Amino acid sequence: MKNFEKYSRAYFMPPVSSMKWSEKEYITEAPIWCSVDLRDGNQALVVPMSLEEKLEYFQLLVKSGFKEIEVGFPAASETEYAFLRTLIEQSLIPDDVTIQVLTQSREHIIRKTFESLQGVKKAVVHLYNSTSVAQREQVFKRSNDEIIGIAVTGAKLLKKYAGETEGDFKFQYSPESFTGTEMEFALDICNRVLDVWQPTEDQKVIINLPATVSFSMPHVYASQIEYMSDHLKFRDNVILSVHPHNDRGTGVADAELGMLAGAERVEGTLFGNGERTGNVDIVTLALNMFSHGVDPKLNFENIPEIISVYEPLTKMKVNERHPYGGELVFTAFSGSHQDAIAKGMKWREEKECQYWTVPYLMIDPKDIGREYEGDIIRINSQSGKGGIGYVLEQKYGLQLPQEMRESFGYSVKNVSDRLHKELKPDDIYDIFKKEYVNITAPIEFINYKFVQHDTYQTAVTIRINSEIQEFESGGNGRLDAISHGLQTNLGLHYRNLIYKEHALEIGSGSQAVSYVGITSQEGAVYWGCGIDVDIMTSSVKALFSAVNKMIVIVPLSIENAPSTGGSNN
């Protein structure tokens, strides 16, 4: 590409090596989660939420288990102010939830922020100012000491107004654009703020280190976080927080490595909504932990329900491939993937496995409210016999023999390929019924009766070309007797009769299903299925279905077959 020379690495490595985080394998406990959907997320919407919509969204966050929720920038607009006052005056904030409000380091804004908090039981007041080289030089045109002065002044004002306002207030400071700031300067300004606040074990403060713009690979951010964690004053009384954005598509990785590096708190949004490419996605972060056997301490047991609220309120769409929440993220179209999933699910049922190890599925979709039917295996022209058979078994209770699955799989794939579309379970079932079940042409089975049960002597009534005919035959068993009669009386030729039956337990528990496969003289295998309340009748219907499929493919002159009237074979 052209012009790559104009870009440089706009981040700063720590002055000392900070790589202890790389020795850790995974995150062992949930962080403090803070949702910033109603502030950072809302300000990024094309149409920000109304007061009523924000109230509904707040309830969604509470229901999802968030204990810290940033509700806005109350001094910035009347809507933000009114929203906060509504939460307080209508007692909508649960006792175990702490709201958070954002403020710049300007006295009139800080004063109005605390006015908006009148009557609140507890809140985090979040102070920020930009610290990056680009912001200092290009936007504020201030020296390092002047930028520190802004932060320190704001810290003092927070103490002043908190002392004059009833309520339990915790302070938070963010060196905004932290990732574009020299690490020594970021450390200095945070420590100067901490000197003002003097945190204690009973009154901890939050230092939040945002990747306001993501400049580096995730391991660099982790090293920056670790450096700050190792060198902050009052470290035992500081809650270290991260707030990654997703400019490089690494927001989740930044947060995960940041937690390994010492962060105890994460600010983010549901499904990553936020400025530009968005904030870190807390749904993905939390469920990544869940997939490692760690309780994320959030209630994401019904992701579809959360999406059903999230999308109308934000007017945003959760992408089909979005981790965990996307419509297609648990779906396999590929034949080999479908086969592996189907076998893995069967294995799990048979072995009563303690741990989830199904191929291609990172977690059990049911744990987050997704359904196996229609979610895991979906059928198109790329699908295979395993997936198609799985769909029939899961939804309709049909347990096709392995050999029959292959035959039917080609039929389904051909239909999908011809129509250029995905086939729904009902489509697949309709194809199966049409091509395999109780086929009555050109030979229609009417009934049968056993003349001599001890020798399986059988009389069978059929209809060919509107003509009723009857024949008798014997064999080694009931189905063998009828099959023998079909061959000898109608001049049919096939061998290797394959047979399987089972009760149809899903949908209509009293019915029986039988499958019959036969091999023609040319070596082709033809399958039929019979469904009936009587197991023997279903077997006979399956045999006739297979024979009729063979006759259609390899036409036989059955109208010229030997007379069947009362013959005994």
Side-chain angles (χ1 to χ4, degrees):
M1 291 180 64
K2 296 179 180 179
N3 301 325
F4 65 89
E5 301 94 338
K6 72 195 267 187
Y7 299 102
S8 64
R9 290 174 291 281
Y11 58 85
F12 298 89
M13 289 293 291
V16 295
S17 178
S18 298
M19 292 286 287
K20 295 189 297 293
W21 60 265
S22 65
E23 300 171 4
K24 300 176 183 178
E25 182 182 352
Y26 65 100
I27 299 162
T28 57
E29 60 181 339
I32 300 167
W33 301 107
C34 178
S35 161
V36 294
D37 292 78
L38 292 169
R39 198 275 303 170
D40 205 344
N42 185 60
Q43 75 183 33
L45 297 176
V46 176
V47 180
M49 287 181 273
S50 65
L51 174 61
E52 293 74 17
E53 288 172 329
K54 291 186 78 171
L55 289 170
E56 184 177 353
Y57 203 107
F58 181 80
Q59 295 301 328
L60 171 65
L61 295 171
V62 170
K63 185 177 179 180
S64 297
F66 286 95
K67 301 306 179 186
E68 294 190 4
I69 302 171
E70 188 167 80
V71 296
F73 196 151
S77 73
E78 287 307 311
T79 301
E80 299 277 280
Y81 190 96
F83 172 55
L84 177 55
R85 294 309 308 160
T86 300
L87 289 176
I88 296 171
E89 292 169 7
Q90 295 187 15
S91 301
L92 297 176
I93 307 168
D95 289 341
D96 63 345
V97 172
T98 301
I99 60 166
Q100 177 171 301
V101 292
L102 186 70
T103 180
Q104 294 174 335
S105 183
R106 301 169 70 181
E107 183 165 11
H108 71 284
I109 292 177
I110 292 172
R111 181 173 59 250
K112 187 169 184 179
T113 298
F114 277 93
E115 288 174 3
S116 72
L117 289 169
Q118 291 287 341
V120 75
K121 293 179 181 178
K122 55 185 176 180
V124 174
V125 183
H126 181 187
L127 173 73
Y128 79 96
N129 68 307
S130 289
T131 60
S132 70
V133 174
Q135 293 270 19
R136 294 189 329 249
E137 293 179 349
Q138 301 173 34
V139 180
F140 298 102
K141 297 181 171 57
R142 300 285 184 92
S143 68
N144 287 8
D145 288 342
E146 288 174 313
I147 295 296
I148 290 174
I150 292 172
V152 168
T153 298
K156 291 177 179 178
L157 288 170
L158 256 61
K159 286 192 72 172
K160 173 180 181 294
Y161 283 101
E164 298 171 358
T165 308
E166 185 177 352
D168 180 8
F169 299 107
K170 180 180 289 184
F171 299 148
Q172 173 173 325
Y173 175 68
S174 292
E176 196 218 356
S177 60
F178 163 76
T179 45
T181 306
E182 310 94 320
M183 289 299 101
E184 299 95 325
F185 182 63
L187 179 65
D188 188 19
I189 195 169
C190 288
N191 279 335
R192 295 285 290 275
V193 168
L194 290 172
D195 284 337
V196 174
W197 286 341
Q198 295 286 311
T200 65
E201 184 176 357
D202 295 329
Q203 192 65 35
K204 294 185 178 183
V205 303
I206 301 166
I207 293 295
N208 184 54
L209 303 175
T212 309
V213 179
S214 177
F215 292 122
S216 69
M217 294 175 68
H219 74 285
V220 172
Y221 186 58
S223 295
Q224 293 170 336
I225 299 301
E226 186 170 273
Y227 171 76
M228 296 291 289
S229 179
D230 287 345
H231 294 88
L232 282 171
K233 292 183 177 180
F234 308 99
R235 182 64 184 90
D236 290 342
N237 301 322
V238 171
I239 299 169
L240 190 58
S241 177
V242 291
H243 179 122
H245 279 248
N246 200 41
D247 301 272
R248 290 172 53 89
T250 59
V252 168
D254 286 342
E256 289 181 327
L257 296 192
M259 282 188 275
L260 291 180
E264 304 137 288
R265 182 177 182 271
V266 175
E267 294 188 346
T269 59
L270 297 178
F271 307 110
N273 178 40
E275 296 280 12
R276 305 181 310 279
T277 56
N279 287 275
V280 65
D281 173 15
I282 288 182
V283 174
T284 299
L285 263 178
L287 292 177
N288 280 355
M289 295 177 59
F290 180 76
S291 75
H292 283 169
V294 177
D295 183 0
K297 307 295 185 181
L298 289 172
N299 304 324
F300 290 156
E301 290 89 355
N302 196 332
I303 292 296
E305 181 181 326
I306 292 174
I307 292 174
S308 72
V309 178
Y310 169 86
E311 290 188 336
L313 293 180
T314 63
K315 314 302 186 292
M316 301 285 286
K317 171 71 176 171
V318 176
N319 187 275
E320 290 87 344
R321 299 294 181 188
H322 197 105
Y324 304 105
E327 180 184 348
L328 297 177
V329 297
F330 294 109
T331 300
F333 288 105
S334 161
S336 61
H337 288 209
Q338 291 175 343
D339 185 58
I341 291 171
K343 289 176 178 175
M345 297 292 281
K346 196 75 172 176
W347 171 274
R348 181 170 177 78
E349 291 175 9
E350 294 172 349
K351 304 295 183 181
E352 298 182 356
C353 302
Q354 178 182 358
Y355 297 109
W356 180 263
T357 59
V358 175
Y360 296 111
L361 296 180
M362 213 168 100
I363 66 171
D364 185 346
K366 282 189 176 295
D367 286 336
I368 59 172
R370 303 290 294 271
E371 295 298 325
Y372 293 155
E373 176 190 316
D375 268 346
I376 295 182
I377 291 177
R378 290 167 58 172
I379 306 303
N380 62 17
S381 60
Q382 305 301 308
S383 303
K385 62 182 184 296
I388 293 167
Y390 180 84
V391 168
L392 286 180
E393 181 171 356
Q394 290 297 308
K395 183 164 186 180
Y396 305 102
L398 296 170
Q399 302 168 22
L400 276 61
Q402 193 65 29
E403 303 91 335
M404 189 180 188
R405 288 189 177 196
E406 184 169 357
S407 171
F408 180 52
Y410 285 117
S411 298
V412 172
K413 291 170 69 172
N414 288 340
V415 172
S416 179
D417 194 34
R418 186 174 71 253
L419 298 178
H420 298 289
K421 71 171 190 176
E422 176 191 352
L423 298 178
K424 302 299 182 184
D426 286 348
D427 298 328
I428 296 166
Y429 185 56
D430 288 343
I431 295 169
F432 182 73
K433 288 193 299 182
K434 179 180 178 181
E435 294 199 9
Y436 293 90
V437 179
N438 299 350
I439 299 175
T440 59
I443 307 173
E444 181 182 358
F445 165 69
I446 303 298
N447 59 45
Y448 72 93
K449 62 181 178 180
F450 289 107
V451 180
Q452 295 181 11
H453 290 273
D454 55 341
T455 60
Y456 298 108
Q457 196 71 19
T458 307
V460 181
T461 303
I462 62 175
R463 179 185 287 114
I464 301 176
N465 297 330
S466 302
E467 179 185 347
I468 300 294
Q469 301 184 29
E470 183 178 296
F471 63 80
E472 290 187 8
S473 181
N476 296 324
R478 292 177 294 181
L479 189 62
D480 181 66
I482 296 172
S483 175
H484 185 220
L486 279 174
Q487 294 184 73
T488 56
N489 288 279
L490 298 181
L492 303 175
H493 302 283
Y494 58 84
R495 63 186 188 277
N496 298 338
L497 189 145
I498 306 169
Y499 174 70
K500 178 184 176 181
E501 65 184 34
H502 65 82
L504 188 59
E505 297 175 344
I506 297 178
S508 50
S510 62
Q511 288 192 308
V513 183
S514 299
Y515 312 94
V516 167
I518 58 176
T519 304
S520 69
Q521 284 184 308
E522 295 75 20
V525 179
Y526 299 92
W527 285 93
C529 175
I531 300 178
D532 195 88
V533 293
D534 176 70
I535 188 64
M536 183 60 206
T537 303
S538 75
S539 304
V540 176
K541 288 181 176 180
L543 173 62
F544 272 76
S545 296
V547 167
N548 282 326
K549 286 179 68 69
M550 182 182 72
I551 293 173
V552 170
I553 302 298
V554 184
L556 302 174
S557 299
I558 58 173
E559 64 272 13
N560 297 323
S563 172
T564 59
S567 63
N568 185 356
N569 294 281

